[in-house]
Every structure is written in C-alpha cells, then in structure tokens.
Amino acid sequence: MASTSAPPSGDAGETSQPVAIVCVGMAGSGKTTFMQQINAYLHRKKEPPYVINLDPAVLHAPFESNIDIRDSVNYKEVMKQYNLGPNGGILTSLNLFATKVDQVVGLLEKRIAPDPANPTRKPIKHILVDTPGQIEVFVWSASGTILLESFASAVPTVVAYIIDTPRTSSTSTFMSNMLYACSILYKLKLPMILVFNKTDVKDASFAKEWMTDYDAFQAALAEDEDRNAFGGQEGEGAGTGYMGSLLNSMSLMLEEFYAHLSVVGVSSLYGTGIDEFFEAVQEKAEEFKRDYQPELEKRREEREENKKKDREQELDKMMRGMAVSGSAKPQVGDINDDDVVEGGSSGDDSVDDDETEKEGLQARYEAAMHAGAESNIPDASFAKYLFDQERNP
C-alpha cells in the first residue's frame, strides 16, 4: 500500500502522495458548509480533490462525491428492515459500508497511482472525507475505526475537528469542546487540527488566547463566576465553586494537549482562513509521516504477528487431533494374535510413517498459506485445507 513503501527521492515523490482530510464535528458546527468551501477552494486552484461522503443520512450534499456511501447503502431501507432509529440506522449503514472498505481503498490507490494510458492526468493532492453529524456514531464505532485506519494505511491522514465558535464563547462550553477534541485525538490516534468555524459571527482570537495563556483563561473563568454563569451562589470568588474548580483543574491538565494541536479560525460562509487551514494540513501531513506512520506500521506488524501465532496454534492443535485419531484407526473389529502377520512392520515403523505424513502435510499447508498470502487470497482454515486435500489428493 502507499504508506508502506517509501516515496521516490526528490520533491516530486513528496508532492505525489495526497493527504486525506477527515472532517468531523458536532451537528450544527458548519461541517458540511466547511467541506463545500474547501472543495471550492481547491477547484479554484485547479487542484480538484477526491471527495468521499460517509454520511448516509444527508439529503442534499452541496458538493459532488467520487465515492458516496448513499450509492451503496439505502439509509431509510436499513432503518425499516432492522427496525432502527436515526442513529442506529447511521451506525448500521456505516457497518455495512465498512465491509467494502477494501474496495474503497483499492479505488483510492488506483486513482493515486499514475495512469500509463493517460500520462497527462494531473495527480490528486487532497482527499476530502465528510462524516455524519452524529459525531459519536462515527468516532466511537468499530466501522469508523476501520475506515480511518484503512485511509491512514494508504495515505497520510489528518482529522479536522470543526467547532462552532459562537457556541464556545463561555469557559464551560469551551472546555467541553476541548475535552471532546482530546478524546477524539487519543481515540483516532491521528494528527488533528482544531477549526474554529463561523468567525464571521465571532472572532476566534479569544479561544486561541485561552489555549496559549493560562492567566487569560483564569480571568475569563473569574468573570463567569462573578456573573453567576454556573448557577452558583452570588458573590463566590473565582475557583471557590465546584464548577470553577473543575474548569481550573482541566485547563491545567490540557496544557500538554494544546501544545500538539494546530488551531485555525475560518469562516465557511466567506472563505476566510482557508489558506491558513491548508498550511496547517501540510504541517500535520509531515507530522503524520514523522510520528504517526511508524506507530501505525508497528501496530500493523503486531497484528500480523498475532495472526501468524494464531495460525500456528490452529495448525498445532489440528496436528495433535490427527495424532490422537490416528492411534485408534481403524476400528473394524478386535485384532488378536492370529491376525498378526509374521515379518510385518513394527510399531516403531508406523510411528515414523505417521510423523513423516504429518510433517509432509504440515509443510504442504504452510506452503499453501504462503502462496495464498502472496496472491492476496484470504487465509483459509486448516480444516478446510484438509477437506480440499481429501477431495483433490
């Protein structure tokens, strides 16, 4: 896959590998409008992106998608057939779509690779991924993890967390968003950009200041307590109430989290801040190659090693089972001394034959598994292999 092989040396190799931008955000944060804006921005630069829509419930998307989950899964039919509500329908639709993730990655890799038949075709530089507004359905589901890990195995992947800036103006809602962003970062294990959207309504400078200046956040927290924003008793000082003390502790805890984030303010309505956003994307793509990709490859190697151990245990278990069943064959009738032929094979010879047969069978099975791995054939169980050997000796 693209991430497992090093790009060619030189600048051309570096620029040929696109970056996947996965947009996540709470309902109403302006995520779809942001997707539309960055899509239009790339088209204006004559660099059309490859767009993937993973929201099965959207009725009208304001952009064209190269891969659309709605083409494969009918959200309303899923709700009807499985008797599900809206969130359950989205989750089940994602689960069904995730079963075809190998085909999605195959299409991506085919589009990324140069086309010998059309050498003038311009390579794509960005892959835009839109996700459901029900953020928890995507981020915390197994299907969401499978899809994101598959994208990350093919190309550098960056998460853009869209935040509704006007709704984050109080210290409590700001801290709630930061905790959610922190949980997403450590769940997905991918580079993240905090995108404070709707800056045409409220500027995001206050949020950037709170993330970089601890004293500024403490001053804002004191103001919220003085005006009884948390519902406590009148006249309480900063940090004396439960809510103030909690927010104060969390702000200290999140200082290290802030240090590893890129923060940009954008307006999806007017397109301001988009240049700064793509600068942050490029920075996070380099961070992915430097810090995240080695960790992903390490986890992939661990999974392959565990898979190999499981296969060896299955083989060993089956061999022991064959040895036990072979010692009792064939039970046609009792054998007495008169049935023993003089000069026949001894028991030791039969044991040697059984060992030879077992070693030969094991060698053939391992050779078949090796050939299957080279040809991308899914691993078969040892029992199935034995069945095939009996039918086609």
Side-chain angles (χ1 to χ4, degrees):
M1 306 183 89
S3 64
T4 57
S5 59
S9 59
D11 295 338
E14 292 295 334
T15 56
S16 62
Q17 194 174 25
V19 181
I21 304 171
V22 182
C23 297
V24 299
M26 297 184 184
S29 62
K31 177 176 56 62
T32 301
T33 309
F34 175 75
M35 275 281 299
Q36 179 189 17
Q37 188 62 247
I38 60 176
N39 183 34
Y41 173 86
L42 291 173
H43 274 88
R44 287 195 299 270
K45 291 188 67 177
K46 307 300 181 183
E47 298 176 357
Y50 197 85
V51 183
I52 301 175
N53 174 43
L54 296 180
D55 188 355
V58 64
L59 294 178
H60 303 288
F63 48 82
E64 293 291 332
S65 300
N66 299 92
I67 299 177
D68 198 328
I69 187 175
R70 296 175 298 173
D71 295 335
S72 305
V73 183
N74 189 319
Y75 167 67
K76 292 184 178 180
E77 284 299 318
V78 168
M79 289 178 60
K80 185 185 301 182
Q81 291 182 17
Y82 294 96
N83 194 25
L84 299 170
N87 286 349
I90 293 174
L91 179 59
T92 305
S93 298
L94 284 170
N95 291 340
L96 293 171
F97 187 74
T99 61
K100 304 297 183 184
V101 67
D102 55 332
Q103 298 179 18
V104 175
V105 174
L107 290 172
L108 275 178
E109 292 180 336
K110 183 178 179 181
R111 181 61 183 84
I112 293 169
D115 185 5
N118 186 15
T120 60
R121 185 181 69 175
K122 196 172 183 179
I124 59 173
K125 294 185 178 180
H126 297 91
I127 301 167
L128 306 183
V129 183
D130 193 19
T131 61
Q134 289 77 357
I135 186 171
E136 69 283 353
V137 172
F138 179 78
V139 171
W140 301 104
S141 65
S143 54
T145 302
I146 291 170
L147 290 166
L148 286 181
E149 286 187 352
S150 300
F151 294 149
S153 68
V155 294
T157 303
V158 176
V159 176
Y161 179 51
I162 317 301
I163 300 174
D164 188 341
T165 306
R167 295 183 182 178
T168 318
S169 55
S170 70
T171 54
S172 57
T173 54
F174 171 80
M175 191 56 63
S176 297
N177 265 292
M178 294 303 102
L179 288 174
Y180 212 111
C182 183
S183 65
I184 293 173
L185 175 67
Y186 291 110
K187 173 65 172 65
L188 301 183
K189 298 181 179 64
L190 292 171
M192 177 182 285
I193 303 172
L194 292 187
V195 181
F196 284 91
N197 196 15
K198 305 181 183 180
T199 53
D200 54 293
V201 178
K202 184 173 182 60
D203 189 77
S205 57
F206 75 94
K208 296 179 181 179
E209 185 181 18
W210 287 354
M211 295 177 68
T212 55
D213 189 344
Y214 176 77
D215 292 333
F217 182 78
Q218 293 301 307
L221 182 59
E223 291 180 7
D224 283 349
E225 287 196 324
D226 289 341
R227 61 187 179 86
N228 199 27
F230 306 136
Q233 295 181 0
E234 294 286 347
E236 287 185 344
T240 58
Y242 169 76
M243 196 64 179
S245 178
L246 178 64
L247 294 176
N248 181 41
S249 300
M250 288 191 294
S251 65
L252 285 171
M253 181 268 293
L254 289 176
E255 279 190 320
E256 183 66 19
F257 167 67
Y258 295 152
H260 295 85
L261 288 178
S262 294
V263 183
V264 296
V266 303
S267 170
S268 296
L269 184 61
Y270 296 108
T272 56
I274 301 299
D275 286 317
E276 184 183 357
F277 169 75
F278 278 101
E279 290 175 4
V281 167
Q282 191 59 39
E283 177 186 336
K284 288 300 177 182
E286 296 301 322
E287 181 181 329
F288 176 92
K289 297 174 186 177
R290 183 181 66 249
D291 301 331
Y292 287 81
Q293 189 166 327
E295 181 65 23
L296 288 172
E297 292 177 354
K298 180 181 177 181
R299 295 207 305 266
R300 189 183 302 114
E301 290 173 359
E302 289 176 353
R303 286 197 298 268
E304 291 297 327
E305 186 65 25
N306 293 333
K307 190 176 180 181
K308 182 179 178 181
K309 289 180 180 178
D310 292 341
R311 187 185 304 156
E312 290 175 351
Q313 290 176 357
E314 180 186 1
L315 176 62
D316 186 61
K317 182 179 178 181
M318 184 65 69
M319 287 294 129
R320 289 199 303 268
M322 289 179 61
V324 171
S325 62
S327 63
K329 62 176 184 179
Q331 296 184 357
V332 177
D334 294 334
I335 300 178
N336 52 41
D337 293 339
D338 295 337
D339 296 324
V340 178
V341 179
E342 294 293 337
S345 301
S346 65
D348 293 337
D349 291 338
S350 64
V351 171
D352 291 340
D353 291 341
D354 289 343
E355 290 296 328
T356 303
E357 181 182 356
K358 183 174 76 171
E359 292 175 0
L361 185 59
Q362 181 172 353
R364 294 200 304 273
Y365 172 68
E366 291 176 348
M369 291 300 98
H370 180 68
E374 290 182 347
S375 59
N376 295 324
I377 299 174
D379 291 342
S381 67
F382 185 65
K384 182 178 183 302
Y385 176 76
L386 288 178
F387 178 73
D388 292 339
Q389 290 295 306
E390 290 177 0
R391 294 181 59 187
N392 305 298

